[in-house]
Every structure is written in C-alpha cells, then in structure tokens.
Amino acid sequence: MSKSLRLSEKWFRRGLWLVALMFAGFLIGLGGTVVGDLPQVEHVRQLDDFIDRAAADPLRATVKAAEDAERQAQRALEQIELRQDAARQANASAREAFGNWLATRRATEQPDQDAELIARTRALDGLKQKEDEARQKAEAQRQIVLDARQGAQRARESLSVLEADAREKLAAEYRRVELRVFGYRLALTLPLLVAAGWLFARKRRGTWWPFVWGFILFALFAFFVELVPYLPSYGGYVRYAVGIVVTVLVGRWAIVALNRYLARQQAAEAQPDTVRRQELSYDTALARLAKGVCPGCERPVDLKNAEIDFCPHCGIGLFDHCRQCDARKSAFSKFCHACGTTASPAEPLPAA
C-alpha cells in the first residue's frame, strides 16, 4: 500500500500514526488511573471484622495482663537472684575465712578462743539461713513467672483458634472482593473492547482513523493488560475455562470470516472483467500489484512475464494496450506510462 502513496502522503500518514499512538497513550494513562482506583470502592476488611469479639476481647485482655505480670515478675526475679548471688558469695567468703581461722586455732590450740568459735559458727549459720531464704524467694518468684507465662500461653492458644476461623472468613471475603473488583474492571473494559471491534469493522479507514486506531489500541491494552492479569484463577480452572471459551469464540469468528471472504471472492470472480476492475479501488489495486499478487483474487502472479495479460487464476485483465500509442500497460493505470494518454472510459478505476 505504501508504494502507491505520494511521498507527502506517506509522511502525513506517519504523522497521523504518531497522533494515534499519542492518543492511545493518554487514554491508557487515564484508563490505568481509573482501573487502579477501582479497588478503593471496596471497604478494606480486617481480621477483627470476622472474629468473635465477645470471646476474643477477654482472651486478649488475659494475654496482655499475663504478659505484663510476667514482665514485672521477671524484673523482680532478677533483683531476687542478684540478692541471692550476694548472699551466696557472702556465705562462701565467710566460710572460707572461718576455715582459715579454724586452721589457725588448731595450730595454736588456745582454749580461750572457744567463745569466738561459737560466735563465728552462729554467724555462718545466719549467712546460710539468709542464702536459703534468698533461694526460696527466687524459687517462688520463678513459679510466679512460670504461672504468668503459662497463663498467657493458654490464652494465646484459645485466641489462635478464634483467629484461625476469622482468617478463613477473611480469606473468603478477599476472594469475593477480588471477584467484585474484577467485575468492575470487566464492566469497564468489555464495552471498550466491543466499541473497538465496531470501530475496527466500520471506521478504521474513515476520515478520523488516527483516533479510531488510538482508541482500538487503548481498548486492547485495557483488556489484555488491565483486565486479564486480574482474572481470578481458582486453581487455574477459571483462567483455562475462559481461555477455552475465548479461543472457541475467536476461532469461530475467524472460520466464519474466512468462509465469507472466500464466498465473496468466488462471487466476485464470477462477475465480468470490467465490473470487477471497477469495484477495485485504485490504491488497493496498486498495493496488490506491488506485492506481486492479482488485484482480483490475491493469488501470486508473475507480473514480469510479458506474455501474461490476464490472471491465470481468476481471469481478470492485468495488462492492456494504450489506445493512443498501443504500448502495453497495466490495466489498472489511469494514464499510459509511454505517452501519458488518459485511459479509455471503460478502463479507469474509481478513486480510492
């Protein structure tokens, strides 16, 4: 087709294609913004929306209270253990000093030191008692920490059962929201695709074709990029089923269109040569000739062979002779290439 266009017309068409792409780009940007904001029409649900609050709130309060009690008991235990370590060290130091003193006493064997021996023994007993009391307090505090930790664990286990049920309900709600949002996207993009199909069938060669093609590109992008990736899967069943349905519909349309095209071609080939050439537009005929095919049936023809004046497949005239200079020329030319004479009234084709 481009070989039959004037140079200026080629550049104009390229500029118009640029307009079509720019128009499609702005429409895609606007459509992407709208589609991206569609999930905001749905209320964002949380786990607490599905949990049994009457049962969960007391459990959460129990967990919080138990955790607070555990932290306080742990801090108190650290203080008690510190005092227990101090008492243990004091007892150990006193016993070491007593051992040294006792060894000295045995060496000197002074009986006047019996009273001091008794006093030192009583002091050691006091330190041992303090150590025992500190150990008992530490054991009691550890029991408090353990009770608080186990209480929090029991409350968490009960709460986890409620949260597991709530998570299942939340996941089901997410699936419903996903399906509704997909429905919104489908309701927005499917009419665009239908309108694009109608424009492609009726208006793609009209005066405003750049905007038509821009809208078609936008509709295709909206459908295959903004919609298809969000198609719910459900384990692949939905996507495969939709793919099968779409393939069947597209395949059926293609088969019907092919049969209609072949029927039109057969009907056209049955018409007289002059009628067939008059029904072909000038640009269409030149574009098909430039591809080395017959303008009438679109089958390959050796146009360089000087002995071929008619299509061997459909019989349409491809070459004739100028009525002025008798030069062999294309039957679809408006003027003779040798002398410039206008083609006879029976020869010219309608303008594109």
Side-chain angles (χ1 to χ4, degrees):
M1 184 72 177
S2 60
K3 294 182 179 180
S4 65
L5 298 178
R6 302 175 182 87
L7 181 60
S8 58
E9 188 176 357
K10 289 182 181 179
W11 284 103
F12 270 115
R13 284 186 173 273
R14 291 171 184 171
L16 291 177
W17 272 113
L18 180 61
V19 171
L21 293 176
M22 292 177 61
F23 184 61
F26 286 118
L27 286 177
I28 288 171
L30 178 61
T33 302
V34 174
V35 171
D37 290 339
L38 285 179
Q40 297 182 11
V41 302
E42 291 288 338
H43 174 65
V44 179
R45 308 298 293 272
Q46 304 293 334
L47 186 65
D48 286 348
D49 295 331
F50 299 93
I51 200 169
D52 185 359
R53 299 294 296 275
D57 289 344
L59 290 174
R60 287 173 176 170
T62 301
V63 171
K64 185 177 184 305
E67 289 176 347
D68 293 341
E70 182 183 357
R71 284 193 295 269
Q72 293 176 1
Q74 186 65 37
R75 287 194 291 267
L77 176 61
E78 292 173 357
Q79 294 294 331
I80 292 174
E81 288 178 343
L82 183 62
R83 289 194 292 269
Q84 181 185 6
D85 291 340
R88 186 184 299 112
Q89 291 177 1
N91 187 22
S93 299
R95 288 186 179 278
E96 183 180 0
F98 178 74
N100 295 333
W101 177 83
L102 188 60
T104 302
R105 180 181 178 281
R106 287 175 180 173
T108 58
E109 295 184 354
Q110 296 178 359
D112 56 347
Q113 294 180 341
D114 290 342
E116 184 177 357
L117 175 63
I118 295 173
R120 284 177 176 267
T121 303
R122 289 177 177 174
L124 288 175
D125 292 339
L127 291 174
K128 183 66 171 63
Q129 183 179 0
K130 289 182 179 180
E131 182 181 354
D132 292 340
E133 292 175 354
R135 179 176 53 78
Q136 292 173 359
K137 290 181 180 179
E139 293 295 334
Q141 196 64 32
R142 290 191 186 96
Q143 186 64 45
I144 294 174
V145 173
L146 180 61
D147 292 341
R149 183 179 297 119
Q150 291 179 345
Q153 182 63 30
R154 287 192 297 270
R156 289 193 193 97
E157 291 175 354
S158 300
L159 183 61
S160 65
V161 175
L162 298 176
E163 290 179 344
D165 181 64
R167 274 192 290 270
E168 292 180 359
K169 296 178 180 178
L170 181 62
E173 178 62 19
Y174 279 157
R175 288 192 293 270
R176 288 191 291 269
V177 170
E178 181 185 15
L179 190 60
R180 287 198 296 270
V181 172
F182 176 77
Y184 301 150
R185 288 189 170 101
L186 182 63
L188 179 64
T189 57
L190 188 58
L192 296 177
L193 190 65
V194 172
W198 182 84
L199 290 173
F200 177 79
R202 301 294 182 86
K203 303 292 183 179
R204 69 179 185 272
R205 293 196 179 108
T207 304
W208 309 103
W209 66 266
F211 300 107
V212 171
W213 277 102
F215 184 85
I216 291 173
L217 294 175
F218 156 66
L220 292 175
F221 182 89
F223 186 81
F224 290 103
V225 177
E226 300 290 353
L227 177 67
V228 172
Y230 297 96
L231 180 67
S233 177
Y234 293 102
Y237 289 100
V238 174
R239 294 188 178 181
Y240 288 130
V242 171
I244 292 172
V245 172
V246 171
T247 303
V248 169
L249 293 177
V250 173
R252 181 183 180 279
W253 173 84
I255 293 172
V256 171
L258 176 61
N259 291 333
R260 289 176 179 174
Y261 168 77
L262 294 176
R264 288 196 303 268
Q265 287 296 107
Q266 290 176 359
E269 292 173 9
Q271 294 178 349
D273 178 85
T274 305
V275 176
R276 294 172 61 192
R277 288 195 289 114
Q278 287 179 347
E279 290 180 352
L280 285 171
S281 68
Y282 179 70
D283 289 336
T284 301
L286 292 185
R288 293 177 180 177
L289 289 171
K291 296 177 182 178
V293 298
C294 170
C297 65
E298 299 185 53
R299 295 186 178 93
V301 178
D302 186 8
L303 300 176
K304 296 181 180 179
N305 190 342
E307 297 180 357
I308 295 179
D309 289 337
F310 295 88
C311 174
H313 307 292
C314 67
I316 192 172
L318 301 176
F319 295 93
D320 57 14
H321 295 270
C322 176
R323 56 188 172 85
Q324 180 69 27
C325 66
D326 200 39
R328 183 175 181 269
K329 66 177 184 62
S330 172
F332 300 93
S333 299
K334 293 183 178 180
F335 300 92
C336 175
H337 66 278
C339 65
T341 301
T342 305
S344 63
E347 294 174 331
L349 297 172

